[in-house]
Amino acid sequence: WICCFLNHLDKNAYNNLLYNCTVMGEFGRLYEQQYAVALFNSIRLDIEGGGGPQPQLLHRKIPLENKSIFSGSLFHYLEENKKWRNHFLFVPDSYNISYYESKVSHDRQLHPKGTINCAGYKVLTSMEQYLDLIGNSLPSVKAKVGSTPFLKCASQFPLILWHPYARHYYFCVTTEKEQEKWHAVLQDCVRHTNDGLTEEDKVQTPAFTDAVRLYRQAHGHYGSWEMMCGSPSQILSNLVMEGLLPELRDLISPRLKGKLHERQRNWMLISDAVYSLVEEQCQSQYEALFQKCEGARSSLDASIRTDMDQIITSKEHITNKIKAVVLPKAEKLLKVSIQPYISSILDALMEPTSRGFSEVREVFFRELVDMSKNTLNDSSKETIHMEKISMLAFHPVKMLSCYEKVEHLSLEGLQQRFDVSSPSVFIQRAQILMREQMDDAVYTFEQILHQSLESQGTEELCKTIQRCQDRVIKKFDYDSSTVRKRFFREALLQIFIPYMLKQLSPSCASELPRFQELIFEDFSRFILVENIFEEVVLHSAMKDIMMAVKEAAVQRRHNLFRDSIVLSNSDPSLHLLGENPSIDWAKEHGGAKEEVDGAGEDTEGHPESESAETQKKRRMKQVVSMIQDEDSQVMSMESCMAVPNNDDIPEKDEEAVPLSERSDWQIQPEEEDTALTCMCY
């Protein structure tokens, strides 16, 4: 019926629904320009090299290969028949949630009933929050006091996945304890899928993010953007819907009939249908655009390497001329509108972030102490209980206390002045960095401990663990200090630079075209005056930002003083360990076999020749759930009366034994006094 409704719209409405063609055309032009610029910057960085402190911790290349994050049963509302059913949810290493009719369906490897990609979603735990967002999505449709909502929850503990454009998902559990656990898991799924653009790609990622930013700036949208999350096709779909949705809402809202809840439901169905069409078109158009740019990469690469010196000289010449025009205005703006606010914003950023990283350190320390106690109390002298440590960074409940610290970050009073839509962009980035630091610390500990045991054996095992622990904690202190300082600089740039561009563009934009005429035609693909203008503005603010971060670094309460302890890179062999495969602790040092990584196992097997217990152990090796126990109760698909409690998931206080949207302005890992490259995330 939605298709029939849309087909009856007038020609104007149909043109509005094809709005994404215009968006993709303009974005495609910007992307091709920024692709050449990003390729030039990448090659130049490779040739000239980058300085800056080297990380002390090792980095795991594929941290979640063949692992699962969570699984369990809960109530799920089905839009098709408007009923609640008990479904089994499974979260694999991709963080895309799959839901099955029952656990038996999952164990039999049947196709899931559906899959949820959580990019762009918000996790809500009350109907009041949800109804407020629904009311804001259709401002012309106001709920009366005491009106009945269109959805009645199966229990008083709901979990709702809300998206401004796409389909909503409704779940319920039976206890507050379950709600907290599932909320942590769903938040992890949102956080991970939002972080969909890899930093490893030094060409595609900066080209894409700069093109998106420049497109939004051309349409008057400066500052951070909450919907810069997910894969490129999802981000582009959000970009299209940002302009299309208001027109679609004005067109359709007067035509919606019926009771309040019916109009709200119908609007959500229409929005989801349009979003699905837009995403399908954006994905195919972006793939074609990307293939076009990749096809021209070899010729662009050859041109850059042939004329590198001339391109750099030409760019420096244009940069000096633009500086003469822009710097006086930028410095005046800095003095009046930026400098008075740097310290207050930095304090607001540093306090919760530093508490978060301190909590990461504390959780890591507690888990190692717990592991040492278990090892000491074990009757075997050679058993090492590593199963609780190996995937600590991806444990939703154990990491929750770390993430909660930074949730208190608030920029209230400054958001409107500097066009910061929400602090969630910074919160999510800090949480991602915290997770990366935790995993790096765990991985480094594993490698160092394994190296020590190979050379020294298992005698005095607890002392060996203690030495490895102290060594890793020192490296964590050093790296976390460096990571936080970079995060603070990026966050300040993301807040101030869009504001400065918005203020300076009206007076400077008319003067920029004349500088483009000074660039040789052969170099014009790699030198764009718009990019140079932004780099000049960026550099004008960097001195004050660097100074503010340096001054804050000496304050002991932020724990940034630790990087003054010079850690020599006297561990060349340590970094070689990073190339080693994952360690099978169960095989080598007597850990629990059912909890080891099952990567490389034969997942097919021969069920007819195996006992039920053997098949069960095989499944546990194939998919290692960090939280869910394989022995939890299996519920039939008809049951809607109770949900398993997942009691095997430890609560935060039971465990202890006493870092999109990417930053919009990313700093390259170079020395602080070298030129910084402007990059949008």
Side-chain angles (χ1 to χ4, degrees):
W1 70 265
I2 296 174
C3 294
C4 292
F5 182 85
L6 295 176
N7 286 335
H8 281 83
L9 297 178
D10 54 27
K11 189 175 182 180
N12 245 353
Y14 180 75
N15 290 336
N16 285 337
L17 293 178
L18 296 180
Y19 173 79
N20 63 314
C21 295
T22 305
V23 175
M24 288 302 297
E26 188 175 346
F27 169 82
R29 177 184 60 82
L30 291 169
Y31 182 80
E32 289 185 48
Q33 292 177 347
Q34 295 304 316
Y35 188 91
V37 173
L39 181 60
F40 166 74
N41 291 334
S42 175
I43 294 173
R44 182 179 181 181
L45 186 63
D46 288 342
I47 293 174
E48 296 180 350
Q54 295 298 314
Q56 296 291 314
L57 297 172
L58 302 177
H59 181 69
R60 199 192 312 255
K61 289 184 178 179
I62 311 177
L64 288 174
E65 189 173 19
N66 296 325
K67 301 291 196 304
S68 73
I69 304 304
F70 193 82
S71 59
S73 299
L74 74 174
F75 293 121
H76 181 196
Y77 181 78
L78 302 179
E79 188 68 48
E80 297 79 15
N81 54 21
K82 300 179 182 178
K83 292 183 179 179
W84 290 90
R85 288 288 182 267
N86 184 270
H87 280 165
F88 181 77
L89 266 63
F90 177 76
V91 185
D93 54 4
S94 66
Y95 283 86
N96 289 331
I97 304 171
S98 297
Y99 54 92
Y100 297 81
E101 197 74 56
S102 65
K103 187 175 186 297
V104 175
S105 300
H106 168 262
D107 292 344
R108 290 177 179 174
Q109 299 184 7
L110 301 179
H111 288 292
K113 291 180 67 65
T115 302
I116 306 172
N117 183 298
C118 293
Y121 278 87
K122 290 184 179 179
V123 186
L124 310 176
T125 55
S126 74
M127 283 300 297
E128 290 75 15
Q129 294 174 306
Y130 180 65
L131 293 177
D132 284 343
L133 291 171
I134 291 296
N136 293 334
S137 66
L138 266 181
S140 59
V141 179
K142 294 296 182 182
K144 296 180 181 179
V145 178
S147 60
T148 304
F150 70 86
L151 178 68
K152 186 176 181 180
C153 292
S155 75
Q156 59 179 322
F157 303 106
L159 289 153
I160 302 173
L161 286 171
W162 176 88
H163 194 284
Y165 315 126
R167 175 184 176 182
H168 302 165
Y169 295 90
Y170 313 96
F171 304 99
C172 274
V173 289
T174 55
T175 66
E176 185 177 359
K177 179 181 176 182
E178 287 180 90
Q179 187 186 44
E180 290 176 357
K181 295 171 186 177
W182 277 103
H183 182 258
V185 173
L186 295 178
Q187 287 280 50
D188 245 20
C189 293
V190 171
R191 189 181 300 113
H192 187 91
T193 51
N194 278 354
D195 188 32
L197 299 176
T198 175
E199 295 182 15
E200 301 300 321
D201 195 321
K202 303 301 182 183
V203 178
Q204 181 185 353
T205 295
F208 179 84
T209 51
D210 281 344
V212 171
R213 177 175 52 79
L214 290 170
Y215 175 88
R216 296 189 76 247
Q217 287 179 185
H219 291 78
H221 300 295
Y222 290 78
S224 59
W225 185 37
E226 283 187 281
M227 297 308 294
M228 187 77 174
C229 48
S231 64
S233 62
Q234 289 174 309
I235 295 172
L236 289 175
S237 302
N238 298 335
L239 191 66
V240 171
M241 294 297 289
E242 185 180 34
L244 174 60
L245 193 68
E247 298 181 19
L248 190 67
R249 183 169 51 207
D250 293 341
L251 177 71
I252 292 179
S253 180
R255 304 185 183 210
L256 295 174
K257 305 299 180 183
K259 296 181 180 179
L260 169 66
H261 67 272
E262 292 175 347
R263 283 179 285 169
Q264 289 176 333
R265 186 192 299 273
N266 290 339
W267 165 248
M268 288 187 295
L269 293 174
I270 291 171
S271 176
D272 176 51
V274 173
Y275 185 72
S276 297
L277 292 172
V278 167
E279 186 172 6
E280 184 179 345
Q281 292 186 24
C282 285
Q283 183 171 0
S284 61
Q285 293 180 44
Y286 174 72
E287 287 176 356
L289 177 64
F290 175 70
Q291 293 300 327
K292 178 182 177 182
C293 292
E294 284 291 293
R297 180 166 182 162
S298 58
S299 61
L300 290 173
D301 189 293
S303 299
I304 292 171
R305 294 184 185 278
T306 301
D307 301 322
M308 175 63 79
D309 291 340
Q310 294 91 326
I311 296 173
I312 293 175
T313 302
S314 179
K315 182 178 179 180
E316 290 176 350
H317 176 69
I318 301 300
T319 300
N320 290 331
K321 289 189 172 295
I322 293 178
K323 278 183 179 180
V325 174
V326 175
L327 272 183
K329 300 176 182 179
E331 289 174 353
K332 182 179 179 181
L333 180 64
L334 273 168
K335 185 175 181 180
V336 175
S337 303
I338 302 296
Q339 290 175 353
Y341 298 95
I342 291 179
S343 59
S344 59
I345 295 178
L346 187 56
D347 285 341
L349 290 168
M350 293 183 79
E351 187 175 351
T353 305
S354 295
R355 286 202 303 267
F357 275 86
S358 295
E359 183 68 14
V360 171
R361 186 184 194 273
E362 183 64 25
V363 170
F364 176 65
F365 178 78
R366 287 202 306 261
E367 290 295 321
L368 292 184
V369 169
D370 191 18
M371 186 196 76
S372 297
K373 288 184 176 181
N374 291 334
T375 301
L376 185 64
N377 295 331
D378 198 286
S379 57
S380 171
K381 298 288 186 181
E382 299 182 353
T383 300
I384 302 177
H385 297 267
M386 288 292 296
E387 63 275 4
K388 291 178 64 178
I389 305 292
S390 60
M391 299 304 294
L392 177 60
F394 302 93
H395 194 301
V397 177
K398 290 182 179 179
M399 288 295 294
L400 183 59
S401 63
C402 307
Y403 296 148
E404 286 178 338
K405 299 293 184 184
V406 78
E407 290 283 352
H408 298 293
L409 192 156
S410 174
L411 299 175
E412 192 173 352
L414 297 169
Q415 289 180 211
Q416 290 184 343
R417 179 178 183 85
F418 294 107
D419 198 15
V420 178
S421 58
S422 168
S424 62
V425 175
F426 309 109
I427 292 172
Q428 181 175 279
R429 179 61 177 163
Q431 290 171 339
I432 290 170
L433 293 173
M434 285 191 282
R435 183 185 66 198
E436 290 175 354
Q437 287 291 289
M438 176 67 89
D439 191 51
D440 290 350
V442 169
Y443 181 57
T444 305
F445 175 78
E446 287 182 334
Q447 297 293 333
I448 292 178
L449 179 60
H450 188 257
Q451 183 189 47
S452 299
L453 294 176
E454 282 187 334
S455 60
Q456 301 173 15
T458 56
E459 294 183 7
E460 297 186 334
L461 185 56
C462 287
K463 290 184 178 180
T464 302
I465 292 174
Q466 179 67 41
R467 286 195 297 269
C468 295
Q469 169 188 301
D470 294 343
R471 188 175 169 190
V472 171
I473 291 232
K474 288 180 181 179
K475 294 178 181 296
F476 174 85
D477 290 340
Y478 180 89
D479 276 12
S480 70
S481 171
T482 304
V483 167
R484 277 179 286 159
K485 287 198 294 185
R486 187 169 67 245
F487 166 72
F488 297 142
R489 294 196 295 265
E490 291 172 358
L492 290 175
L493 288 173
Q494 187 178 356
I495 292 170
F496 294 135
I497 300 303
Y499 173 80
M500 294 182 68
L501 292 175
K502 187 175 183 179
Q503 301 300 316
L504 295 172
S505 290
S507 60
C508 297
S510 59
E511 301 186 51
L512 294 180
R514 64 186 177 91
F515 296 114
Q516 191 71 42
E517 299 173 359
L518 303 177
I519 304 172
F520 290 116
E521 185 177 354
D522 292 343
F523 304 158
S524 60
R525 291 174 296 178
F526 314 116
I527 305 174
L528 299 177
V529 293
E530 294 84 356
N531 290 62
I532 295 177
F533 166 65
E534 293 190 347
E535 288 176 10
V536 170
V537 175
L538 176 73
H539 281 272
S540 69
M542 278 308 303
K543 182 179 179 181
D544 292 319
I545 289 174
M546 291 289 193
M547 184 63 66
V549 174
K550 283 183 178 179
E551 290 176 355
V554 300
Q555 299 179 22
R556 193 177 185 88
R557 63 194 176 98
H558 296 306
N559 292 326
L560 293 174
F561 65 93
R562 296 180 187 276
D563 70 341
S564 61
I565 304 173
V566 178
L567 290 183
S568 62
N569 291 326
S570 57
D571 288 337
S573 60
L574 174 62
H575 286 276
L576 294 177
L577 293 176
E579 304 297 323
N580 293 339
S582 298
I583 302 164
D584 190 341
W585 290 95
K587 181 178 179 181
E588 297 191 26
H589 301 286
K593 291 184 179 181
E594 67 272 12
E595 295 186 4
V596 300
D597 186 356
E601 292 284 342
D602 179 10
T603 59
E604 296 298 327
H606 301 281
E608 65 277 3
S609 62
E610 295 179 345
S611 66
E613 186 65 19
T614 304
Q615 292 183 37
K616 175 181 173 182
K617 289 183 178 180
R618 179 181 295 278
R619 286 198 306 272
M620 293 170 74
K621 287 184 179 182
Q622 177 185 345
V623 182
V624 183
S625 176
M626 296 157 46
I627 303 179
Q628 179 68 19
D629 189 355
E630 291 283 347
D631 292 327
S632 62
Q633 178 184 359
V634 178
M635 301 190 65
S636 65
M637 54 183 270
E638 295 82 13
S639 173
C640 294
M641 300 303 296
V643 179
N645 287 329
N646 297 334
D647 289 329
D648 54 310
I649 308 177
E651 291 299 305
K652 292 179 289 184
D653 55 354
E654 296 171 352
E655 288 294 324
V657 180
L659 328 162
S660 68
E661 307 232 299
R662 300 166 182 265
S663 301
D664 284 342
W665 302 93
Q666 176 75 19
I667 302 178
Q668 296 286 355
E670 300 177 4
E671 291 288 359
E672 294 178 352
D673 57 348
T674 59
L676 298 169
T677 302
C678 175
M679 186 181 297
C680 159
Y681 280 7

